[in-house]
Amino acid sequence: MRNIVWTIIVVWVVWKIYNAFASKAKNQSVESNTSSKRKEGEVKIDKNIDQQSHFRPNDGEFVDYEEVN
């Protein structure tokens, strides 16, 4: 009985690993197809105008330090 459970677990883990690699390969093939549609040297810039800054305009950068003699 214990051997059956371990066999099922191993098969499930191998299946998950296989699916992870298969989905990654599929995503890469989709990306290569979309990038091949553009002409060589063409540049595409995606701008997100609605993106807000995480900092306020009057925030500054402060680095705490200790002087060592």
Side-chain angles (χ1 to χ4, degrees), residues 26-65:
K26 183 179 178 183
N27 288 342
Q28 287 178 349
S29 68
V30 169
E31 288 176 6
S32 67
N33 288 342
T34 58
S35 65
S36 64
K37 292 179 183 176
R38 286 190 243 145
K39 295 179 184 176
E40 184 176 341
E42 182 181 346
V43 178
K44 180 181 178 185
I45 299 174
D46 294 328
K47 292 184 179 181
N48 189 357
I49 297 173
D50 296 334
Q51 185 178 14
Q52 295 179 355
S53 176
H54 298 287
F55 303 103
R56 290 175 281 163
N58 60 351
D59 285 346
E61 186 173 322
F62 179 76
V63 179
D64 193 18
Y65 71 95

Side-chain angles (χ1 to χ4, degrees), residues 1 4-5 8-9 11 13-14 18 23 30 33 51 53 60 65:
M1 181 66 175
I4 294 172
V5 172
I8 292 171
I9 291 172
V11 168
V13 169
V14 169
Y18 173 77
S23 66
V30 169
N33 288 342
Q51 185 178 14
S53 176
Y65 71 95

Side-chain angles (χ1 to χ4, degrees), residues 2-16:
R2 189 173 10 171
N3 290 338
I4 294 172
V5 172
W6 281 110
T7 304
I8 292 171
I9 291 172
V10 167
V11 168
W12 180 78
V13 169
V14 169
W15 181 255
K16 285 295 192 178

